[in-house]
Amino acid sequence: MQPNPLPHGSPQPAQHPPMIAVHNMSKLYGEFVALDRLNFDVQRGEKIVVLGPSGSGKSTLIRTFNRIEPHDSGSIIIDGKIINEKTSLTELRCMVGMVFQNYNLFPHLSVLDNCTLAPQLVRNVARKDAQEMAHNFLKQVGIPEQAHKYPIQLSGGQQQRVAIARALCMQPEVMLFDEPTAALDPEAITGVVSIMDTLAEQGITTLCVTHEMAFSRRIADKIVFMDQGRILEITPPEQFFTAPQTERAQNFLNQMIRY
């Protein structure tokens, strides 16, 4: 049974603009096309996992969102703002946080100081307020007792949680994760899943590059599958892992399952 159409003149359902909109976007290194005319949207609060073989452009893609890698053509729009060479990098990187694969913590600073440095210097947050915020986020990621330790005193999983708390202290609207589960044990991976779920509940949009198939299936709202700088599929995780749309994705999954 088909639903009745709306009467003429009736209000249409509200359409929320995407948090991230990518239109015909490309990235070049000389004559090499790293990203080739990409098009996709990400809704606010979505958890997107980007999969693909090494060299497919996954990390380059998410790095264009905070202009670590400036794109060369097409457009990127984040929360209604066009991202280009005129964009203030300070403002952009307050809005778009990133957790790097090697965490990039300052080794000479305590966990607390790692978390409070940027809010004080960039957002002009008072030291007391920055420390209170940092304590709250360290509690949220499950390591409040580590505040006065130094990175070298922490495990890899703990360092990663510090990196997440540090990014959250800038109060971003988007979080980028580059291989967040690399070298983590299963318990730590479960912790990352929980943190990402919490971020989504808070309305923070997350994009994650990973090679971990089980993690991808657990965390993603959508899978973006890339190869040779192009997006071949954008599908829900269950569909991607059980009935991929392309032969290339099927071959990729067969290889990952084999190893």
Side-chain angles (χ1 to χ4, degrees), residues 170-189:
M170 294 300 288
Q171 300 177 294
E173 298 179 58
V174 176
M175 284 282 285
L176 311 175
F177 294 86
D178 192 0
E179 296 289 355
T181 59
L184 296 185
D185 59 43
E187 185 176 0
I189 291 174

mmCIF file of all heavy atoms in Angstrom, residues 170-189:
data_model
loop_
_atom_site.group_PDB
_atom_site.id
_atom_site.type_symbol
_atom_site.label_atom_id
_atom_site.label_comp_id
_atom_site.label_asym_id
_atom_site.label_seq_id
_atom_site.Cartn_x
_atom_site.Cartn_y
_atom_site.Cartn_z
ATOM 1 N N MET A 170 39.380 20.357 22.508
ATOM 2 C CA MET A 170 39.176 21.460 21.570
ATOM 3 C C MET A 170 37.710 21.568 21.151
ATOM 4 O O MET A 170 37.352 22.411 20.336
ATOM 5 C CB MET A 170 40.063 21.264 20.342
ATOM 6 C CG MET A 170 41.546 21.373 20.654
ATOM 7 S SD MET A 170 42.000 22.987 21.331
ATOM 8 C CE MET A 170 41.853 23.992 19.865
ATOM 9 N N GLN A 171 36.866 20.687 21.693
ATOM 10 C CA GLN A 171 35.422 20.684 21.444
ATOM 11 C C GLN A 171 35.087 20.644 19.947
ATOM 12 O O GLN A 171 34.347 21.481 19.434
ATOM 13 C CB GLN A 171 34.777 21.890 22.123
ATOM 14 C CG GLN A 171 34.988 21.887 23.634
ATOM 15 C CD GLN A 171 34.433 23.110 24.321
ATOM 16 O OE1 GLN A 171 34.904 24.225 24.120
ATOM 17 N NE2 GLN A 171 33.406 22.890 25.125
ATOM 18 N N PRO A 172 35.617 19.644 19.230
ATOM 19 C CA PRO A 172 35.377 19.564 17.785
ATOM 20 C C PRO A 172 33.979 19.064 17.463
ATOM 21 O O PRO A 172 33.301 18.458 18.289
ATOM 22 C CB PRO A 172 36.432 18.550 17.334
ATOM 23 C CG PRO A 172 36.542 17.628 18.511
ATOM 24 C CD PRO A 172 36.416 18.511 19.721
ATOM 25 N N GLU A 173 33.580 19.305 16.233
ATOM 26 C CA GLU A 173 32.323 18.769 15.723
ATOM 27 C C GLU A 173 32.547 17.493 14.926
ATOM 28 O O GLU A 173 31.619 16.707 14.722
ATOM 29 C CB GLU A 173 31.633 19.817 14.848
ATOM 30 C CG GLU A 173 31.269 21.094 15.602
ATOM 31 C CD GLU A 173 30.614 22.106 14.699
ATOM 32 O OE1 GLU A 173 29.572 21.782 14.090
ATOM 33 O OE2 GLU A 173 31.124 23.233 14.595
ATOM 34 N N VAL A 174 33.784 17.307 14.444
ATOM 35 C CA VAL A 174 34.161 16.124 13.661
ATOM 36 C C VAL A 174 35.444 15.564 14.254
ATOM 37 O O VAL A 174 36.351 16.318 14.622
ATOM 38 C CB VAL A 174 34.398 16.490 12.178
ATOM 39 C CG1 VAL A 174 34.882 15.275 11.395
ATOM 40 C CG2 VAL A 174 33.132 17.069 11.551
ATOM 41 N N MET A 175 35.522 14.227 14.353
ATOM 42 C CA MET A 175 36.737 13.568 14.805
ATOM 43 C C MET A 175 37.224 12.606 13.715
ATOM 44 O O MET A 175 36.446 11.795 13.203
ATOM 45 C CB MET A 175 36.492 12.795 16.102
ATOM 46 C CG MET A 175 36.400 13.685 17.331
ATOM 47 S SD MET A 175 38.014 14.236 17.933
ATOM 48 C CE MET A 175 38.616 12.728 18.710
ATOM 49 N N LEU A 176 38.513 12.723 13.400
ATOM 50 C CA LEU A 176 39.152 11.850 12.422
ATOM 51 C C LEU A 176 40.084 10.888 13.143
ATOM 52 O O LEU A 176 40.873 11.301 13.990
ATOM 53 C CB LEU A 176 39.960 12.683 11.421
ATOM 54 C CG LEU A 176 39.246 13.876 10.779
ATOM 55 C CD1 LEU A 176 40.217 14.671 9.920
ATOM 56 C CD2 LEU A 176 38.040 13.419 9.964
ATOM 57 N N PHE A 177 40.013 9.608 12.799
ATOM 58 C CA PHE A 177 40.859 8.578 13.411
ATOM 59 C C PHE A 177 41.633 7.862 12.317
ATOM 60 O O PHE A 177 41.036 7.295 11.402
ATOM 61 C CB PHE A 177 40.024 7.559 14.180
ATOM 62 C CG PHE A 177 39.319 8.110 15.381
ATOM 63 C CD1 PHE A 177 38.074 8.714 15.264
ATOM 64 C CD2 PHE A 177 39.889 8.005 16.642
ATOM 65 C CE1 PHE A 177 37.416 9.212 16.375
ATOM 66 C CE2 PHE A 177 39.239 8.493 17.759
ATOM 67 C CZ PHE A 177 38.001 9.108 17.635
ATOM 68 N N ASP A 178 42.963 7.882 12.413
ATOM 69 C CA ASP A 178 43.804 7.180 11.451
ATOM 70 C C ASP A 178 44.374 5.927 12.115
ATOM 71 O O ASP A 178 45.255 6.006 12.964
ATOM 72 C CB ASP A 178 44.942 8.101 10.977
ATOM 73 C CG ASP A 178 45.667 7.547 9.764
ATOM 74 O OD1 ASP A 178 45.292 6.459 9.291
ATOM 75 O OD2 ASP A 178 46.601 8.206 9.272
ATOM 76 N N GLU A 179 43.837 4.764 11.745
ATOM 77 C CA GLU A 179 44.246 3.469 12.300
ATOM 78 C C GLU A 179 44.205 3.463 13.842
ATOM 79 O O GLU A 179 45.222 3.234 14.498
ATOM 80 C CB GLU A 179 45.650 3.098 11.809
ATOM 81 C CG GLU A 179 45.755 2.879 10.320
ATOM 82 C CD GLU A 179 45.070 1.597 9.849
ATOM 83 O OE1 GLU A 179 44.584 0.824 10.685
ATOM 84 O OE2 GLU A 179 45.027 1.388 8.626
ATOM 85 N N PRO A 180 43.039 3.705 14.436
ATOM 86 C CA PRO A 180 42.961 3.833 15.892
ATOM 87 C C PRO A 180 43.184 2.540 16.656
ATOM 88 O O PRO A 180 43.435 2.577 17.862
ATOM 89 C CB PRO A 180 41.539 4.360 16.126
ATOM 90 C CG PRO A 180 40.759 3.822 14.980
ATOM 91 C CD PRO A 180 41.716 3.870 13.813
ATOM 92 N N THR A 181 43.086 1.398 15.976
ATOM 93 C CA THR A 181 43.242 0.123 16.689
ATOM 94 C C THR A 181 44.580 -0.550 16.408
ATOM 95 O O THR A 181 44.794 -1.685 16.834
ATOM 96 C CB THR A 181 42.107 -0.846 16.297
ATOM 97 O OG1 THR A 181 42.148 -1.057 14.885
ATOM 98 C CG2 THR A 181 40.758 -0.276 16.686
ATOM 99 N N ALA A 182 45.478 0.132 15.715
ATOM 100 C CA ALA A 182 46.773 -0.464 15.392
ATOM 101 C C ALA A 182 47.514 -0.838 16.677
ATOM 102 O O ALA A 182 47.666 -0.026 17.583
ATOM 103 C CB ALA A 182 47.612 0.515 14.572
ATOM 104 N N ALA A 183 47.945 -2.079 16.758
ATOM 105 C CA ALA A 183 48.765 -2.598 17.865
ATOM 106 C C ALA A 183 48.031 -2.613 19.211
ATOM 107 O O ALA A 183 48.658 -2.734 20.252
ATOM 108 C CB ALA A 183 50.054 -1.790 18.008
ATOM 109 N N LEU A 184 46.704 -2.534 19.200
ATOM 110 C CA LEU A 184 45.945 -2.598 20.449
ATOM 111 C C LEU A 184 45.435 -4.020 20.674
ATOM 112 O O LEU A 184 45.126 -4.745 19.730
ATOM 113 C CB LEU A 184 44.760 -1.638 20.413
ATOM 114 C CG LEU A 184 45.071 -0.144 20.324
ATOM 115 C CD1 LEU A 184 43.771 0.651 20.425
ATOM 116 C CD2 LEU A 184 46.046 0.306 21.391
ATOM 117 N N ASP A 185 45.328 -4.388 21.962
ATOM 118 C CA ASP A 185 44.781 -5.702 22.281
ATOM 119 C C ASP A 185 43.245 -5.645 22.221
ATOM 120 O O ASP A 185 42.658 -4.564 22.151
ATOM 121 C CB ASP A 185 45.261 -6.171 23.659
ATOM 122 C CG ASP A 185 44.868 -5.225 24.778
ATOM 123 O OD1 ASP A 185 43.708 -4.734 24.785
ATOM 124 O OD2 ASP A 185 45.708 -4.955 25.656
ATOM 125 N N PRO A 186 42.571 -6.806 22.225
ATOM 126 C CA PRO A 186 41.108 -6.818 22.070
ATOM 127 C C PRO A 186 40.367 -5.986 23.106
ATOM 128 O O PRO A 186 39.357 -5.347 22.781
ATOM 129 C CB PRO A 186 40.762 -8.308 22.196
ATOM 130 C CG PRO A 186 41.997 -9.014 21.723
ATOM 131 C CD PRO A 186 43.144 -8.174 22.205
ATOM 132 N N GLU A 187 40.840 -5.978 24.354
ATOM 133 C CA GLU A 187 40.168 -5.183 25.383
ATOM 134 C C GLU A 187 40.263 -3.693 25.062
ATOM 135 O O GLU A 187 39.284 -2.956 25.219
ATOM 136 C CB GLU A 187 40.781 -5.456 26.754
ATOM 137 C CG GLU A 187 40.046 -4.747 27.888
ATOM 138 C CD GLU A 187 40.616 -5.107 29.250
ATOM 139 O OE1 GLU A 187 41.569 -5.896 29.322
ATOM 140 O OE2 GLU A 187 40.079 -4.586 30.250
ATOM 141 N N ALA A 188 41.433 -3.251 24.597
ATOM 142 C CA ALA A 188 41.592 -1.838 24.246
ATOM 143 C C ALA A 188 40.728 -1.479 23.043
ATOM 144 O O ALA A 188 40.167 -0.381 22.979
ATOM 145 C CB ALA A 188 43.061 -1.532 23.963
ATOM 146 N N ILE A 189 40.610 -2.401 22.083
ATOM 147 C CA ILE A 189 39.760 -2.146 20.917
ATOM 148 C C ILE A 189 38.305 -1.974 21.339
ATOM 149 O O ILE A 189 37.595 -1.094 20.854
ATOM 150 C CB ILE A 189 39.911 -3.286 19.886
ATOM 151 C CG1 ILE A 189 41.308 -3.231 19.270
ATOM 152 C CG2 ILE A 189 38.834 -3.191 18.806
ATOM 153 C CD1 ILE A 189 41.614 -4.391 18.347
#
